[in-house]
Amino acid sequence: MPELPEIRAHAERLTAELSGIRLDRFEPLSFTALKTYAPPPESAHGHELRGVGARGKHLLLDVEAVSFVVHLMQGGRLRRDTSKAKRPRNGVARWHFAEGRRLLLTEAGTERRAGVWVVEGDPLVREPLVELGPDADTVTVEQLTALLAERSMRLHTFLRDQRVLAGIGRRLANEICHGARLSPFVGTRGLDDAQVATLHTAIGEAIAEGLASERGRDDMSASKDRPAQVHSRTGEACPVCGDEVREITYNRYTVNYCATCQTGGRILADNALSRLGVDREEWGRGRQHG
Ligand SMILES: [Zn+2]
């Protein structure tokens, strides 16, 4: 899933391409595209696109009168539409701008979860963005300390919970835990001040690295092209210590880690998670937001 770096760099690209151009028409292409009833998308017609912003894993098209909040979910993409197709393949919604320019939201796969919210006023204080925690790279060490202390969760689950910190998915959570040399399953209340400071640095570095990589591209990367030391690197050598990168699966959910760097050499077996006290409900909830 595109995470904060991919979304933010893409927002910058779309702003450079389309800001100042008039929106003539918004066209939903699937029944599940539009997640809101009011205001109607027609209220944006004839207004200029002021820019495209990013919040967590969401894109925000600011069209003067209203904002379109777009969530790409797993397989969604928002791109310039250069086809002439009336019903583009995997099409979810389309924005028709002046000068014949069009933006097309597509979603690969069959889940149909990508969508568009039309929001009046400040979109940050309205659904769906109001539920988000702060963007993960904007919190101070003090704020992070408070967020960790407020809840008892496994670190990997905490990092991916969009209501706590916005913008981190599976890849960044794996990379941040590895960067901080922390077990993905350590409890949020089990970290000392030095570990929280290291975690804070790792969050900033992983996001900055992703942003730098993504800003060098002319379209959103595929997940295999994103920087990763451990994510999806099962069986490869850890670039830090040379140990083998391992994976652990729980409820069809895969976490990558390096035992030498992160768990004091302890190799976690799939069935060991229950002994670590990771409950099914917590992981199920994490997946909803991950
Ligand atoms: Zn290592």
Side-chain angles (χ1 to χ4, degrees):
M1 181 181 293
E3 301 169 274
L4 188 152
E6 291 80 47
I7 294 293
R8 199 181 283 167
H10 198 57
E12 293 166 1
R13 275 192 290 270
L14 293 174
T15 297
E17 281 181 31
L18 290 167
S19 67
I21 301 180
R22 188 186 69 242
L23 177 71
D24 287 335
R25 188 161 63 91
F26 170 77
E27 178 192 14
L29 295 169
S30 90
F31 288 113
T32 56
L34 200 55
K35 308 292 186 190
T36 45
Y37 297 103
E42 289 76 21
S43 57
H45 295 178
H47 292 272
E48 258 180 29
L49 180 74
R50 285 198 286 215
V52 179
R55 179 78 174 84
K57 300 179 188 173
H58 298 75
L59 290 161
L60 285 86
L61 282 66
D62 175 358
V63 192
E64 291 180 319
V66 296
S67 297
F68 292 89
V69 178
V70 180
H71 198 333
L72 303 177
M73 298 304 296
Q74 189 72 39
R77 289 294 181 270
L78 184 64
R79 290 201 174 104
R80 286 284 295 279
D81 177 23
T82 51
S83 76
K84 294 271 193 295
K86 230 176 140 57
R87 307 294 298 178
R89 193 162 168 268
N90 295 328
V92 177
R94 186 156 48 185
W95 290 258
H96 298 260
F97 291 91
E99 305 165 23
R101 302 201 201 192
R102 296 186 302 273
L103 261 185
L104 175 65
L105 173 63
T106 58
E107 185 178 24
T110 54
E111 287 205 23
R112 295 283 163 256
R113 291 172 68 200
V116 179
W117 289 254
V118 181
V119 179
E120 209 159 15
D122 181 359
L124 300 182
V125 299
R126 288 173 172 78
E127 294 282 346
L129 303 182
V130 68
E131 291 181 0
L132 298 181
D135 278 0
D137 61 342
T138 64
V139 296
T140 62
V141 179
E142 292 73 23
Q143 287 169 320
L144 183 61
T145 303
L147 289 169
L148 287 160
E150 274 167 22
R151 43 188 66 71
S152 177
M153 294 167 90
R154 304 289 155 184
L155 179 57
H156 201 277
T157 312
F158 169 88
L159 289 170
R160 285 171 22 255
D161 191 328
Q162 303 303 299
R163 295 161 299 183
V164 182
L165 288 175
I168 296 175
R170 287 198 307 132
R171 180 185 70 86
L172 281 173
N174 284 336
E175 294 303 306
I176 288 165
C177 291
H178 181 254
R181 306 288 176 264
L182 290 170
S183 166
F185 305 112
V186 68
T188 47
R189 289 174 176 160
L191 301 176
D192 62 29
D193 288 351
Q195 288 172 319
V196 174
T198 307
L199 176 65
H200 182 260
T201 303
I203 292 171
E205 286 179 353
I207 291 175
E209 185 188 13
L211 256 180
S213 160
E214 202 65 22
R215 280 175 173 150
R217 312 181 68 95
D218 52 17
D219 193 9
M220 189 180 280
S221 59
S223 42
K224 65 175 171 49
D225 298 325
R226 295 172 195 156
Q229 303 216 307
V230 291
H231 178 69
S232 290
R233 298 267 188 265
T234 306
E236 296 179 29
C238 167
V240 173
C241 73
D243 190 7
E244 182 186 336
V245 172
R246 300 175 196 275
E247 68 175 38
I248 182 162
T249 305
Y250 190 83
N251 265 356
R252 295 175 296 153
Y253 187 87
T254 304
V255 173
N256 289 109
Y257 70 101
C258 168
T260 298
C261 289
Q262 296 175 255
T263 58
R266 191 150 69 108
I267 295 161
L268 307 170
D270 282 357
N271 65 5
L273 278 182
S274 52
R275 292 202 295 277
L276 283 167
V278 179
D279 66 276
R280 275 178 177 271
E281 194 196 346
E282 180 179 299
W283 280 79
R285 261 207 325 272
R287 277 176 37 235
Q288 299 282 311
H289 293 85

